[in-house]
Amino acid sequence: MLFIVGLFAVLYLSVSRVSAYFKENVKISVILSSQASPSQAEQFALNLEQMPQVASAELISQERGTEEMKEFLGEDFLDIFESNPIPASVNLQLKNDYFYADSIARLKAVLCEDVMVEDVIYQEGIISTINDNLKTVGLIFAGFILLLAIISIVLINNTVRLNIFSRRFSIRTMQLVGATRGVICRPFLYNSILQGAVSGVIATFALFGAWVFVSRQVPQIDLLVNKEAFLYCGAALVVLGILLCFVCTSLIVRKVTLLPVDKLYV
């Protein structure tokens, strides 16, 4: 169960990386004025790249734009024009934190004030769709993690309960010879810490092994999975295993020590 919780936790933590991957690969086209010279266009692209919202700015010269249009429309598409109508442009990729409709709208307004800019083109619907879908995926993963955590707590609690209840007569014997509740609980708690730590470590190694296996089969997954998430989840699984076992054991041992004699035989 800890392994499954860790698996979904890694996927949840990787959602932000997947989100950034999709967002930063959506391009915004800044169409430059036909009066802009090649040197002015190049300098304008460099200036755009210095803006805090921009991850990268790629200049598409008139010649390159023309070649790309020829691939789509054919070599002779310019024959109907007196001059080349393809303008130079700059393809922008925004940083993840600025990939929102209002942020992009403000950026467009700022860019359109520049005399070098003819227009700013982007697909507003795609931006809203990507943000909404990624938010939904994140909520689904969070729900699965919460559900699995609850199931883990129930299973671990029942396992610990059965283990300790099977030793209720030993606990009763210790009480009869004068052992305090602290003395009785101590070995059980030490054992629970060890079991929780071992379970967490095994789950962490299993999680890492699964990632190595999948990454060898699908190398592209390294681009989407956050490697730091494995470190965080590994530490969290060990802590979670120890905490669950410790809390369940302390509560159940305390309950068993308070059982009346007639309940020991139920």
Side-chain angles (χ1 to χ4, degrees):
M1 290 306 301
L2 289 177
F3 167 75
I4 297 175
V5 170
L7 178 62
F8 276 92
V10 168
L11 294 176
Y12 177 75
L13 292 175
S14 298
V15 165
S16 60
R17 187 166 182 174
V18 175
S19 171
Y21 175 81
F22 283 109
K23 290 178 179 180
E24 292 181 0
N25 279 277
V26 174
K27 295 181 179 179
I28 298 174
S29 295
V30 181
I31 308 301
L32 302 183
S33 170
S34 58
Q35 305 300 321
S37 65
S39 60
Q40 288 176 322
E42 186 175 352
Q43 184 59 47
F44 182 74
L46 293 175
N47 293 338
L48 287 181
E49 200 160 28
Q50 301 304 315
M51 297 181 71
Q53 304 97 320
V54 177
S56 67
E58 181 186 12
L59 176 64
I60 307 297
S61 64
Q62 187 180 52
E63 293 76 16
R64 179 178 169 184
T66 301
E67 291 300 321
E68 290 178 355
M69 291 301 295
K70 285 181 179 180
E71 293 179 4
F72 287 102
L73 303 177
E75 292 289 336
D76 56 350
F77 85 98
L78 288 176
D79 294 346
I80 61 175
F81 299 100
E82 293 183 1
S83 61
N84 190 345
I86 306 298
S89 63
V90 179
N91 285 340
L92 297 182
Q93 290 178 296
L94 298 185
K95 293 179 181 177
N96 183 30
D97 295 338
Y98 295 94
F99 194 86
Y100 296 97
D102 54 347
S103 299
I104 296 175
R106 286 195 295 269
L107 177 63
K108 178 179 179 179
V110 171
L111 292 176
C112 287
E113 293 177 357
D114 196 305
V115 294
M116 291 276 294
V117 177
E118 187 73 27
D119 195 7
V120 177
I121 300 173
Y122 64 95
Q123 295 178 312
E124 299 181 24
I126 288 181
I127 293 170
S128 300
T129 301
I130 289 176
N131 283 326
D132 292 342
N133 289 343
L134 290 173
K135 183 178 180 180
T136 301
V137 170
L139 291 175
I140 291 173
F141 275 119
F144 269 113
I145 292 171
L146 180 60
L147 177 62
L148 290 170
I150 293 173
I151 294 173
S152 298
I153 292 172
V154 172
L155 289 177
I156 291 173
N157 181 70
N158 289 339
T159 302
V160 172
R161 183 189 298 274
L162 290 172
N163 180 41
I164 294 177
F165 196 73
S166 67
R167 303 171 66 180
R168 62 192 182 280
F169 293 111
S170 299
I171 294 174
R172 183 61 179 173
T173 301
M174 295 171 69
Q175 287 179 305
L176 292 175
V177 297
T180 63
R181 184 179 300 164
V183 172
I184 295 173
C185 289
R186 195 173 296 124
F188 288 101
L189 294 178
Y190 288 159
N191 191 47
S192 70
I193 292 173
L194 178 61
Q195 289 178 339
V198 170
S199 299
V201 170
I202 292 175
T204 300
F205 276 104
L207 191 63
F208 181 76
W211 171 67
V212 170
F213 175 77
V214 173
S215 63
R216 287 179 178 175
Q217 304 300 318
V218 187
Q220 295 83 355
I221 201 171
D222 287 341
L223 299 174
L224 302 179
V225 175
N226 189 348
K227 298 179 181 64
E228 293 181 357
F230 284 95
L231 298 177
Y232 298 136
C233 287
L237 288 179
V238 175
V239 172
L240 181 62
I242 293 173
L243 186 62
L244 287 177
C245 289
F246 183 86
V247 172
C248 292
T249 299
S250 60
L251 292 176
I252 295 170
V253 171
R254 181 179 182 277
K255 184 176 180 180
V256 171
T257 58
L258 296 177
L259 282 176
V261 177
D262 56 324
K263 295 291 184 180
L264 295 176
Y265 298 92
V266 177

